[in-house]
Amino acid sequence: MDERAALRLLAADLPSAGDDAAVVDDLVLTTDMLHETTDFPEGTTRYTAGWRAVGASLSDVAAMGAEATAAVAVYADRDFAEADLRAFVRGAREVCEAVDAEYVGGDLDDHAEFTTATTAVGRTDDPVLRSGAESGDLVVVTGTLGRSAAALRHFEQGDTERGNDLFRFTPRVDAGRALAESATAMMDSSDGLARSLHQLAEASDCAIEFEWDALPADESVETLAESESDRREMTAFFGEDFELVATLPESALPAVRAASPTAISVIGRAIDSDGDSETGVGRVVADGAPVPDRGYTHGE
Amino acid sequence: MDERAALRLLAADLPSAGDDAAVVDDLVLTTDMLHETTDFPEGTTRYTAGWRAVGASLSDVAAMGAEATAAVAVYADRDFAEADLRAFVRGAREVCEAVDAEYVGGDLDDHAEFTTATTAVGRTDDPVLRSGAESGDLVVVTGTLGRSAAALRHFEQGDTERGNDLFRFTPRVDAGRALAESATAMMDSSDGLARSLHQLAEASDCAIEFEWDALPADESVETLAESESDRREMTAFFGEDFELVATLPESALPAVRAASPTAISVIGRAIDSDGDSETGVGRVVADGAPVPDRGYTHGE
């Protein structure tokens, strides 16, 4: 069974799971595990690792439209070098501070590979799920796309400083709170924009059309992309950007933009699925052409 | 830096950490990571692993005197065999049901060694910390001691059914709620009774005396222990029993016992530390002789 099949199996068993975060009463709760070999390119500092790992969980809280309350992490490694551990904790704490959450520690564990498991908790009385998009809704994304793809290229080229800078992102809790007022569906783009749109469309029983030129590419992408197709790869398929993808009625856009400290870009619309479950539901189209359901699969 | 030194470093940096669970507003939050090679003896089923891993985090919630709200887990393995995954989830869900919490899923992750990271969340307006024991307070433990030591011997002898049975424990959330009304200090015994008493005495700036004969040995220990010293090893030093250790005024005992569905055994008393920080604070004495600060160190 591959990871996506296993996740579907779990979602059937656990109705509270299956969205960006689980909902229990007014709490949202989410957990992730990251490993040195698969998630942190050579050159990633422990400060960046702490920031990014805890940030990934806070992004899931943001995607529910919740306030971020607190985060914890398990830090597992071959040994506990004081400088590494302190740097990790500083990164974890600073990303929490960036979204008004509290980093409250966690646990240590001996392990052959640097591994971290992070958990974030948030609160909301009205979580925004992935389902709920209505035909005619605008599709929006926060911030810019392609930072992580650009970071990886900098790491590969040995520019670890730029790689680390781009790898530390601000979880979009503020934007998520602004969007929560009127968003009909929301998730984060950690699996890549294309895959996120497919997941959102499938959960909402609709289709989505967008325009390639409407995607807010990060300036780092503008510098690095070697072609238009490369630009699309970096912004829509590479993933791990931790921006929010949401749908909302067009009439709500001005108020959301006024309330969000982060830019909100309109990239397209939710459209009718045509009632054909084979080809319609979950269909994503850009400039009239189908967009494959391809992106970042965690752990591969 | 060894794990305990690293934990002290973190406790200094993170004032919310350092107890069984972190406290944020009315939430308690705790996380752990367990690995196949270090935490699950050969023969441990995935059902038991799910139960035990999630149970360990729920035990930390119980140790704060909190209600258990929810738990999540990351399940990391070489592959996702449906039967294994379903068994793990069933164990995780059943241990949550045993304490009226909700298991709400988590995440999957590819990893070379079966590893699970669990997180539990609880609620209380009045958490019970490890500090707070007063000279004269009774020292009590819930349930029985030595189950995990006995389980390991059964696993070693190839009696995996008995090993698995003993490895699944009920987190003492109910007893913790009953104790929370009057306990002056509380923690769980996951590092072993002896080490837990040392930690509690140190956090509370007192000493503790107890009687060996007062320890509530599990019936499995009575069968397996080869000598009195072996019995002490199993009940006081082996650890991983996930019972609660608490201090409370003697006058409160009848009400606590009436409210707790789990047996509460009095094993000793908190006594004055004599004001000598070298030999007094944190000192633990049984039948007049010093008890070493020795027990289970996670990850070793």
Side-chain angles (χ1 to χ4, degrees):
Chain A
M1 210 168 28
D2 71 11
E3 185 173 328
R4 293 181 78 190
L7 285 171
R8 276 193 294 271
L9 179 153
L10 289 184
D13 269 14
L14 299 165
S16 299
D19 219 287
D20 291 72
V23 179
V24 188
D25 306 330
D26 66 336
L27 296 180
V28 301
L29 182 58
T30 176
T31 190
D32 283 293
M33 192 184 287
L34 300 177
H35 305 284
E36 186 159 29
T37 51
T38 46
D39 299 293
F40 302 118
E42 194 179 335
T44 308
T45 63
R46 287 296 159 90
Y47 170 64
T48 296
W51 179 293
R52 189 168 174 83
V54 171
S57 288
L58 292 169
S59 177
D60 284 330
V61 168
M64 306 303 287
E67 289 176 25
T69 305
V72 289
V74 180
Y75 178 101
D77 206 350
R78 291 164 295 280
D79 53 51
F80 305 115
E82 183 172 337
D84 282 352
L85 185 55
R86 279 194 191 275
F88 180 91
V89 169
R90 187 165 61 90
R93 193 156 49 180
E94 287 181 14
V95 73
C96 282
E97 285 168 0
V99 298
D100 286 327
E102 196 175 346
Y103 181 65
V104 291
D107 203 9
L108 298 172
D109 192 47
D110 276 317
H111 195 50
E113 181 190 5
F114 170 55
T115 294
T116 181
T118 58
T119 301
V121 182
R123 288 190 200 252
T124 174
D125 292 323
D126 191 15
V128 185
L129 306 181
R130 295 177 180 185
S131 54
E134 301 269 349
S135 179
D137 284 347
L138 297 181
V139 177
V140 301
V141 298
T142 59
T144 62
L145 299 169
R147 281 172 59 100
S148 285
L152 200 69
R153 294 197 186 174
H154 285 297
F155 279 121
E156 286 166 359
Q157 293 163 5
D159 185 352
T160 57
E161 188 176 340
R162 189 82 186 110
N164 277 288
D165 283 349
L166 286 166
F167 242 33
R168 293 190 305 272
F169 61 90
T170 303
R172 299 304 188 192
V173 174
D174 282 350
R177 298 291 296 158
L179 281 158
E181 297 293 312
S182 46
T184 51
M186 188 154 64
M187 64 184 298
D188 81 358
S189 68
S190 54
D191 292 348
L193 178 71
R195 177 154 286 168
S196 300
L197 292 174
H198 275 278
Q199 291 174 350
L200 194 149
E202 190 173 332
S204 293
D205 199 13
C206 69
I208 286 173
E209 57 181 12
F210 73 89
E211 291 170 25
W212 284 112
D213 282 350
L215 300 194
D218 194 74
E219 62 182 16
S220 58
V221 173
E222 304 294 2
T223 312
L224 289 164
E226 292 162 359
S227 64
E228 178 57 24
S229 92
D230 190 32
R231 187 176 184 273
R232 291 181 183 182
E233 197 63 36
M234 293 178 79
T235 53
F237 296 107
F238 182 85
E240 296 258 282
D241 272 334
F242 305 102
E243 296 293 346
L244 301 182
V245 183
T247 55
L248 74 169
E250 186 160 3
S251 60
L253 185 64
V256 167
R257 280 188 161 150
S260 172
T262 304
I264 308 272
S265 301
V266 176
I267 64 166
R269 276 191 193 273
I271 56 173
D272 199 80
S273 65
D274 300 332
D276 178 346
S277 67
E278 192 65 41
T279 59
V281 175
R283 190 165 47 96
V284 176
V285 172
D287 299 343
V291 175
D293 181 9
R294 176 166 70 74
Y296 186 86
T297 298
H298 289 283
E300 282 186 0
Chain B
M1 214 169 20
D2 71 12
E3 185 173 329
R4 294 181 78 190
L7 284 171
R8 277 193 294 271
L9 179 153
L10 289 183
D13 268 15
L14 300 164
S16 299
D19 219 288
D20 291 72
V23 179
V24 187
D25 305 331
D26 65 336
L27 297 179
V28 301
L29 182 59
T30 175
T31 190
D32 284 293
M33 191 183 288
L34 300 177
H35 305 283
E36 187 159 30
T37 51
T38 46
D39 299 292
F40 302 119
E42 194 178 334
T44 307
T45 64
R46 288 296 160 90
Y47 170 64
T48 296
W51 178 294
R52 188 168 174 83
V54 171
S57 289
L58 292 168
S59 177
D60 283 329
V61 168
M64 305 303 287
E67 290 176 24
T69 306
V72 289
V74 180
Y75 178 100
D77 206 350
R78 290 165 293 279
D79 52 51
F80 305 116
E82 182 170 338
D84 282 351
L85 185 55
R86 278 193 191 277
F88 180 91
V89 169
R90 187 165 61 88
R93 192 156 50 181
E94 288 181 13
V95 74
C96 282
E97 285 167 2
V99 297
D100 286 326
E102 196 176 347
Y103 182 66
V104 291
D107 203 9
L108 298 171
D109 193 47
D110 276 317
H111 195 51
E113 181 191 5
F114 170 55
T115 294
T116 181
T118 58
T119 301
V121 181
R123 285 190 202 252
T124 175
D125 291 324
D126 192 15
V128 185
L129 307 182
R130 296 178 179 185
S131 53
E134 301 267 349
S135 179
D137 284 347
L138 296 180
V139 178
V140 301
V141 299
T142 60
T144 61
L145 298 170
R147 281 172 62 99
S148 285
L152 200 69
R153 295 199 186 174
H154 285 297
F155 279 121
E156 285 167 0
Q157 292 163 5
D159 185 352
T160 57
E161 188 175 340
R162 189 82 186 109
N164 277 287
D165 283 350
L166 286 167
F167 242 33
R168 293 189 304 274
F169 61 91
T170 304
R172 300 304 189 193
V173 174
D174 282 350
R177 297 292 294 157
L179 280 159
E181 297 294 314
S182 46
T184 50
M186 189 153 65
M187 64 183 298
D188 81 359
S189 69
S190 55
D191 292 347
L193 178 70
R195 176 154 287 170
S196 300
L197 293 175
H198 274 278
Q199 291 174 351
L200 195 148
E202 189 174 333
S204 294
D205 200 13
C206 69
I208 286 173
E209 56 182 12
F210 73 89
E211 290 170 25
W212 283 112
D213 281 350
L215 300 194
D218 195 74
E219 61 181 17
S220 58
V221 172
E222 303 294 2
T223 312
L224 289 166
E226 292 162 0
S227 64
E228 178 56 24
S229 94
D230 191 32
R231 186 176 184 273
R232 292 181 183 183
E233 197 63 34
M234 294 178 79
T235 53
F237 297 106
F238 183 85
E240 296 258 282
D241 273 332
F242 304 102
E243 297 292 348
L244 301 183
V245 183
T247 54
L248 73 170
E250 186 159 5
S251 59
L253 185 64
V256 167
R257 279 188 162 148
S260 172
T262 304
I264 308 271
S265 301
V266 176
I267 63 165
R269 277 193 192 271
I271 56 172
D272 199 79
S273 65
D274 300 331
D276 178 347
S277 67
E278 192 64 42
T279 59
V281 174
R283 191 165 47 97
V284 176
V285 171
D287 299 342
V291 175
D293 181 9
R294 174 167 72 77
Y296 186 87
T297 298
H298 289 283
E300 283 185 1

